[in-house]
Amino acid sequence: MIVDMLSSTFMQRALIVAVLVGLAAPVVGTYLVQRRLTLLGDGIGHVALTGVALGWLAASAAGAIDKDAWAVPGAIIASVVGVLLIEWMRTHGHASGDVALAMLFYGGIAGGVLLIGIAGGTTSNLNAYLFGSISTVTRTDTYLTIGLTIVILAVGIGLRPALFALCHDEEFARASGLPTGLLSILISVTAALTVALAMRIVGALLVSALMVIPVAIAQTLSRSFKTTMRAAMAIGVVVAVAGLVITYVKPWSPGATIVVLAVGLYAIVVALRPLVMRALKRDVHRHPHPHHAPDVKVNVDCDTAPLR
């Protein structure tokens, strides 16, 4: 079975995309969880559907045969425009963050359904983008995912100290001279890119779960920001690849399978964590370290700072 799976061209592409999505999504999700913006991914996912429909509409106008090839670029453009609109509404006081997200939820999915009909398609054409489909991953999608993943990891990991400062205490970051407005936009745009690249595998409606749940699992195992991000990336890759392998054998939705695996893993970790913590406490009491001063102070940075 494994040989057959790895020899399948479309499965090879799907596995590459799954690994890249599993790496990139939790990186962005770590910042969203820290800023308490976990629903932003859901809002972007709905707007991405409008982008898919716009891609179809543009393909129809251009007379293109393969309309799906225009879908992901359309989703990228619409997602980025959507998050920029949210930031503008939030910073200029035109609407609160939850109202702006509600507009994305309702307007995004309604626009997608309406425009896909205008483009000559039906709502069934949106199903692969709603819940993911390994058979729809093309070579172009693979190259696009590789490029977007490099950008997301470069921003999320390369700018981690500045982004952590923003997420941990925005007022302090602003007082320190950091461009908080630009950094906020950068987090939102990388979240939009993550949703667009994960649509093929996880689906627009479930991609937010892959950004948030691995981070939630990692937070139960570590309190350090850096360690949490690393653990979440590893968990994201494991559940994405495992879900994809299962859907190769069973005719299940890949997005739903990946999310259910992630939720199940979270439940197991939460259930076992008290037992592990009690065992560690017993070990500490058995081997105390009285020579450690109780008032030792250390400098806190993004590598060791606790999550809020």
Side-chain angles (χ1 to χ4, degrees):
M1 182 193 70
I2 296 178
V3 176
D4 293 338
M5 180 180 65
L6 295 178
S7 62
S8 172
T9 303
F10 82 87
M11 195 62 187
Q12 292 172 359
R13 293 194 294 261
L15 284 172
I16 292 173
V17 172
V19 170
L20 295 176
V21 169
L23 282 174
V27 170
V28 180
T30 305
Y31 297 113
L32 296 183
V33 171
Q34 185 75 354
R35 297 197 75 189
R36 295 174 173 85
L37 291 174
T38 54
L39 290 179
L40 181 62
D42 287 316
I44 298 172
H46 285 72
V47 172
L49 293 177
T50 296
V52 169
L54 284 173
W56 267 61
L57 199 60
S60 298
I65 298 176
D66 186 10
K67 297 179 180 178
D68 280 326
W70 295 58
V72 174
I76 293 173
I77 295 172
S79 299
V80 172
V81 171
V83 295
L84 291 178
L85 182 61
I86 284 182
E87 283 295 322
W88 182 79
M89 294 175 66
R90 186 176 65 85
T91 56
H92 288 75
H94 293 285
S96 61
D98 57 342
V99 172
L101 278 175
M103 291 182 181
L104 280 185
F105 272 96
Y106 309 137
I109 197 165
V113 173
L114 180 63
L115 292 175
I116 199 72
I118 296 175
T122 62
T123 54
S124 61
N125 296 119
L126 292 176
N127 284 340
Y129 300 96
L130 284 169
F131 305 108
S133 176
I134 59 177
S135 61
T136 60
V137 179
T138 64
R139 180 175 297 179
T140 303
D141 293 330
T142 306
Y143 292 144
L144 190 59
T145 302
I146 293 172
L148 291 177
T149 302
I150 293 173
V151 172
I152 293 168
L153 294 181
V155 172
I157 297 177
L159 298 179
R160 181 166 55 202
L163 294 177
F164 169 79
L166 171 72
C167 297
H168 192 69
D169 191 337
E170 186 171 351
E171 293 299 326
F172 178 78
R174 184 179 295 110
S176 301
L178 290 174
T180 55
L182 179 60
L183 292 175
S184 295
I185 291 175
L186 203 55
I187 291 177
S188 298
V189 170
T190 52
L193 295 179
T194 303
V195 170
L197 72 87
M199 284 179 61
R200 290 293 204 183
I201 294 296
V202 186
L205 296 185
L206 297 174
V207 64
S208 182
L210 193 58
M211 289 195 286
V212 173
I213 298 177
V215 179
I217 298 171
Q219 282 184 332
T220 65
L221 303 174
S222 170
R223 303 305 299 172
S224 163
F225 187 84
K226 183 178 181 180
T227 306
T228 296
M229 180 179 288
R230 288 177 174 177
M233 292 170 69
I235 294 167
V237 171
V238 169
V239 296
V241 172
L244 208 59
V245 171
I246 292 174
T247 56
Y248 179 79
V249 179
K250 300 289 185 179
W252 298 344
S253 167
T257 304
I258 291 170
V259 172
V260 168
L261 286 177
V263 172
L265 181 59
Y266 176 78
I268 292 172
V269 170
V270 169
L272 293 180
R273 186 174 183 273
L275 300 177
V276 175
M277 295 303 295
R278 280 198 293 268
L280 290 176
K281 287 180 179 179
R282 285 197 299 268
D283 187 65
V284 168
H285 291 316
R286 191 178 300 114
H287 303 285
H289 299 280
H291 57 278
H292 284 180
D295 57 345
V296 171
K297 290 181 170 58
V298 296
N299 292 325
V300 178
D301 59 22
C302 70
D303 292 345
T304 59
L307 294 170
R308 291 185 297 174

